[in-house]
Amino acid sequence: MLASLFIRSMRSFLLLAICLSITYWLTACVDSLDLTLNSTIDVLVVDGTITNLPEPQVIRLNRSKADRLTGRFGAVPITKATVEVIVDSTQVIPCHETVDGSYQLPSDFKGQVGHAYQLRFTLSDGTRYLSTRQVMPAVAPIRSVSARFNPVALPAEQQLDGGYRAGHDVFIDTQDPADQANYYRWDWKLWEKQSWCRSCQEGVYSVNNILLHTYKDKTFYVAGNDLYEDCFVPVNYMEAGQPPFQAGLYVYDYPCRTDCWEILYSYALNVFDDQYTNGNLIQHRSVAQIPYYDSTACLVEIRQSSLTQSAHAYFNQFQRTQMTNGLTDTAPSAPVGNIRNVADNREKVVGYFTASAVSPKRYWIDRNDVTGLPFGNIVPEKVAWQPGAAFFYSLNRRQPIPEPIYPYPSIRIWGGPPRPATAICVPSDSRTPYKPDGWQD
């Protein structure tokens, strides 16, 4: 299911878009390593929302494919595309590719309520695509946020391994405007303290560069003076002085050198139409279920977004499927989004480009009201406990394995900081060394 997929692999936003997209061809969404299809899927997936916040505005292009021989599903980022956003049918804003398949607008760009946005892109083979125009609607501010521990907070379709469902239900109050129809979407962003910053397979973490073909006493690889900050995996040069190293699969995990926070995102859709509540106070609306990963406190940001009527209709189809479809349900027809192949209307493009105003509000969950063990402490017996191990287990389904002090690891480094080394917290969509606003020490 989506929950096990996200927690096991901890992939980024794009995987959600792909997973939701293929739901309409598959009976359920499971880890791609375990999934074999009976037919071949090849579909373009587009994920992009322009917001009014000073944050990265990113368009993601991907192709969801099943191998013709094995039927095994995979996702291929679409690179070298020309991607543009058209503002009010006149101004063209080019995007630049930051990582494979991700196209970001200029850093100073943000959307504005009442303005129209349209996505246009051309693939490297010359195929052109165009979205419908989306006028960004205003959004009401979140009035208040509250949270309550619930031993069965996670819906059955989002439960963790072993049927674990404990977590915090998060609720908001907001005043719905009376003079217009409003369509809402709620997402969340979660910060948890991270104690382990790097895992090295078949190697060790090195702060400094390793000098090529330089060894000491047939025992050590020799470190230089330049920063490396990465896993060092030796290559067997078959040289007489080269130290022996362990063959086979193994992994060492390295603690963070500085403060570090893991960033997790919601993956379940939560949309709403104010048809029956127009102008009233939307009170105690459930907007998030935060898993009880660890006994320490965490910080959540609730994002209340406006949707256009057409975007709400599209995402509402996924929400209904999310709530009703199970492993044995018959998959419905694939919904077509608002992006089309300019030269071939028969091509189905999945995903929706839209523009949303966002009202964010952060809330500190101290977890003082919890009962029972967090998911990260549901661990195999006779495993040594390490600092931050509960959250590490929640993400990786295993305990951290530090580089041993003695007996010595098979790869030994001469020079540089004392061993075992610590690792840097590398900023990314899923991790930050910068203390988030609202974090309480």
Side-chain angles (χ1 to χ4, degrees), residues 394-409:
S394 294
L395 300 187
N396 300 283
R397 299 303 192 268
R398 64 176 179 84
Q399 287 283 333
I401 305 170
E403 178 187 312
I405 299 175
Y406 188 85
Y408 302 120

Side-chain angles (χ1 to χ4, degrees), residues 48 50 59 85 117-119 131-132 134 338-339 351-355:
I50 301 299
I59 310 299
V85 171
Y117 301 91
Q118 191 171 20
L119 176 65
S131 77
T132 59
Q134 296 283 292
N338 67 335
I339 300 139
Y352 210 91
F353 172 78
T354 191

Side-chain angles (χ1 to χ4, degrees), residues 24-244:
Y24 285 88
W25 281 274
L26 310 177
T27 55
C29 190
V30 299
D31 195 291
S32 58
L33 295 175
D34 303 326
L35 178 64
T36 301
L37 309 180
N38 294 324
S39 60
T40 299
I41 292 172
D42 188 343
V43 60
L44 176 64
V45 179
V46 180
D47 175 28
T49 300
I50 301 299
T51 76
N52 63 334
L53 298 184
E55 61 185 9
Q57 311 280 337
V58 180
I59 310 299
R60 294 177 176 87
L61 305 180
N62 209 79
R63 190 166 291 280
S64 301
K65 303 182 71 172
D67 186 89
R68 294 183 180 278
L69 295 178
T70 66
R72 203 169 288 273
F73 168 74
V76 181
I78 295 176
T79 62
K80 300 179 181 178
T82 300
V83 181
E84 301 167 323
V85 171
I86 306 169
V87 182
D88 295 329
S89 301
T90 56
Q91 184 183 10
V92 178
I93 310 295
C95 301
H96 66 280
E97 189 169 9
T98 53
V99 296
D100 287 356
S102 292
Y103 299 84
Q104 185 171 325
L105 286 118
S107 59
D108 60 350
F109 177 87
K110 63 178 181 179
Q112 294 179 281
V113 171
H115 289 259
Y117 301 91
Q118 191 171 20
L119 176 65
R120 180 171 68 189
F121 62 94
T122 304
L123 304 187
S124 58
D125 64 1
T127 309
R128 296 181 297 128
Y129 296 85
L130 187 68
S131 77
T132 59
R133 293 171 73 248
Q134 296 283 292
V135 178
M136 182 184 290
V139 68
I142 297 174
R143 277 194 174 184
S144 63
V145 180
S146 61
R148 180 183 63 208
F149 179 75
N150 181 356
V152 289
L154 304 181
E157 66 273 11
Q158 297 175 26
Q159 64 188 357
L160 305 181
D161 293 358
Y164 189 89
R165 297 177 60 187
H168 278 81
D169 291 312
V170 182
F171 308 92
I172 61 99
D173 291 348
T174 187
Q175 177 63 54
D176 182 67
D179 58 346
Q180 59 192 358
N182 296 98
Y183 305 93
Y184 298 91
R185 177 174 179 173
W186 289 282
D187 302 280
W188 53 261
K189 183 177 181 180
L190 177 69
W191 289 266
E192 297 265 7
K193 200 66 179 287
Q194 177 61 271
S195 299
W196 299 87
C197 278
R198 193 61 187 268
S199 297
C200 293
Q201 293 186 1
E202 302 180 43
V204 295
Y205 190 87
S206 181
V207 175
N208 295 79
N209 65 309
I210 304 300
L211 302 177
L212 290 175
H213 311 289
T214 305
Y215 317 111
K216 179 177 175 56
D217 302 332
K218 297 184 178 181
T219 303
F220 298 93
Y221 292 88
V222 179
N225 296 319
D226 297 330
L227 285 179
Y228 182 63
E229 298 290 6
D230 206 347
C231 296
F232 168 64
V233 179
V235 175
N236 191 351
Y237 293 111
M238 307 298 288
E239 295 173 337
Q242 183 175 6

